[in-house]
Amino acid sequence: MTTLSDPPKPGFRPSQLIYDTRYRSMTIQTVAFILLMAAIFWLVSNTIENLNALGKDFNFGFLGQPAGYDINQRLIEYDSQASHGRAALVGILNTLLVAVLGCVAATIVGVIAGVLRLSKNWIVSRLMSVYVEGFRNVPLLLWIVLIFAVFNESTPQPRDFRGEDPAASMILGDTVAITNRGTYIPEPLFSNGLGDVDVKPGWIFSDLYFAVSIDLVVIVMTIVASILLIRLNNQRAHRIQNATGVRPTTWWVNLLVFFVPLGALLWVLGFHLGYPELKGFNFSGGTHIRNSLMALWLALTLYTGAFIAEIVRGGILAINKGQTEAAFALGLRPGKTMNLVILPQAMRVIIPPLISQYLNLTKNSSLAIAVGYMDVRATLGGITINQTGRELEGMLLLGLFYLILSLLISGGMNLYNNSVKLKER
């Protein structure tokens, strides 16, 4: 009687790393990784040798040295005796301010312009076409300088607001003053405020502290809680609609949930507005927004909004016309059809290129140096480098900041994109 056994399995041979598809991809990735690490090691070692030849070392101690220059527009306390690290923090906050304001405003302008470009009204659609083509085909830097010049040359001086018959007057019920020195708007004040808390990351530099308003934190937490309750209320209405076919009215409940807690909180904190007043040769009180910030924000908004308008128009045209016809057959008006049927489907086409526009706007904010707005490019990447001679360290930090900010924007928008994409059931 004979016993049959499986033939012995062939052993591993080095040639399989190249010719066997099971190992080839891993081999290629390993070789590529080794070459990449070797290139980085050569670049770093070569840089260190060149710095040593110039009598320089590689460190970030310059961030603790006194800056010695002023920053005109800032969100936190700063003076010329503060460190370069704090000056960089002020510039970072200024960059984040114009980036956030620009992304929000450009989205609003772009969506409106994109929808109106498809309007059946010939005049409206042509006006939007002129806007889109005009801003898309002219360099952004020219728009920044042009708008800045308009603010400086065509707006009145503070002294024009003086006298019994002034040459200029405030707008919006004497609450906003637009001058060649900037725009003065009311500032929020709290008579029963909870104060501020100084956040001091002691592991960096001692003067990198910044004050966090407890009032603002409480207000933001209240708004977030109200939004969560509104979402829960909408989900409840959606479940009832699926079960009975009738959707309960939710708008008045949502309004109460949002405004009642917020209004009560503002009343307890003693919220009121501080209005700008003309005293001496300039306005005092209120919030001063310099023309450099206004020009940069408007230029970024209108320029990026033109690109977003084309993205929105393309996304809407990507939706089959049968969707619109079906909505009209159900009795929906054009406005409801656009908001409830077309735009929700078009968002799946709009969001991916929209991410690129947000990234472009954020990086284009570095053109602020043309009008004197002190963002991170002007502070860390400009004056600080010129004063300390730390070009490599400064540019590495500047690039790292833009990289992290871009990754955060991309990650957040990708999460939103995943939440609105089609899901199989």
Side-chain angles (χ1 to χ4, degrees), residues 86-398:
R86 187 163 185 81
L89 178 61
V90 175
I92 288 173
L93 294 177
N94 286 346
T95 298
L96 293 177
L97 173 65
V98 72
V100 172
L101 293 178
C103 288
V104 173
T107 302
I108 296 174
V109 171
V111 171
I112 294 175
V115 172
L116 292 181
R117 272 204 86 179
L118 298 173
S119 174
K120 295 181 179 180
N121 188 307
W122 187 88
I123 296 178
V124 172
S125 62
R126 291 300 175 271
L127 286 176
M128 290 300 102
S129 299
V130 170
Y131 156 68
V132 170
E133 298 302 331
F135 275 89
R136 284 202 313 166
N137 296 299
V138 176
L140 173 59
L141 181 60
L142 295 183
W143 285 117
I144 295 175
V145 175
L146 176 61
I147 297 176
F148 182 69
V150 169
F151 272 108
N152 284 341
E153 301 297 333
S154 64
T155 53
Q157 302 179 19
R159 66 184 182 184
D160 295 333
F161 292 82
R162 185 182 300 279
E164 296 181 358
D165 187 17
S169 59
M170 302 175 66
I171 61 175
L172 299 180
D174 292 338
T175 60
V176 177
I178 302 177
T179 72
N180 62 350
R181 298 183 182 179
T183 301
Y184 298 84
I185 62 175
E187 63 175 333
L189 299 174
F190 300 94
S191 57
N192 301 322
L194 303 176
D196 301 331
V197 174
D198 288 337
V199 178
K200 299 181 179 180
W203 52 274
I204 313 180
F205 295 101
S206 59
D207 67 342
L208 287 189
Y209 70 91
F210 53 92
V212 176
S213 173
I214 301 178
D215 304 323
L216 179 61
V217 172
V218 174
I219 291 173
V220 170
M221 292 176 60
T222 303
I223 294 176
V224 171
S226 299
I227 293 175
L228 292 177
L229 291 176
I230 290 174
R231 292 190 62 180
L232 292 176
N233 185 42
N234 291 336
Q235 292 174 2
R236 181 189 65 86
H238 188 65
R239 290 194 300 268
I240 295 176
Q241 182 181 13
N242 290 337
T244 64
V246 178
R247 184 178 181 86
T249 303
T250 58
W251 64 267
W252 64 271
V253 177
N254 293 339
L255 289 178
L256 290 177
V257 169
F258 185 84
F259 286 105
V260 170
L262 182 61
L265 176 62
L266 294 178
W267 179 77
V268 171
L269 295 177
F271 171 78
H272 62 282
L273 295 176
Y275 299 101
E277 297 179 358
L278 183 61
K279 293 183 179 180
F281 297 99
N282 205 349
F283 283 89
S284 64
T287 300
H288 180 204
I289 304 177
R290 294 185 175 272
N291 287 337
S292 55
L293 173 58
M294 292 293 296
L296 180 65
W297 173 58
L298 285 177
L300 288 173
T301 296
L302 296 176
Y303 182 80
T304 309
F307 288 90
I308 295 178
E310 286 297 274
I311 293 173
V312 171
R313 185 174 72 96
I316 293 175
L317 292 177
I319 305 303
N320 193 296
K321 291 184 179 180
Q323 299 287 326
T324 304
E325 296 172 354
F328 288 166
L330 293 174
L332 293 179
R333 296 178 178 272
K336 289 286 187 181
T337 300
M338 180 61 66
N339 294 332
L340 300 178
V341 179
I342 305 302
L343 279 181
Q345 298 182 72
M347 290 299 290
R348 304 183 185 101
V349 181
I350 292 172
I351 291 178
L354 186 63
I355 299 175
S356 298
Q357 293 305 318
Y358 286 164
L359 297 179
N360 289 337
L361 186 149
T362 301
K363 290 178 286 189
N364 286 338
S365 65
S366 60
L367 295 173
I369 194 173
V371 291
Y373 180 68
M374 303 290 285
D375 66 338
V376 68
R377 168 64 183 86
T379 56
L380 177 62
I383 301 177
T384 293
I385 288 180
N386 293 334
Q387 289 186 355
T388 61
R390 296 289 180 174
E391 302 88 355
L392 179 61
E393 295 90 335
M395 284 301 169
L396 284 177
L397 291 175
L398 187 63

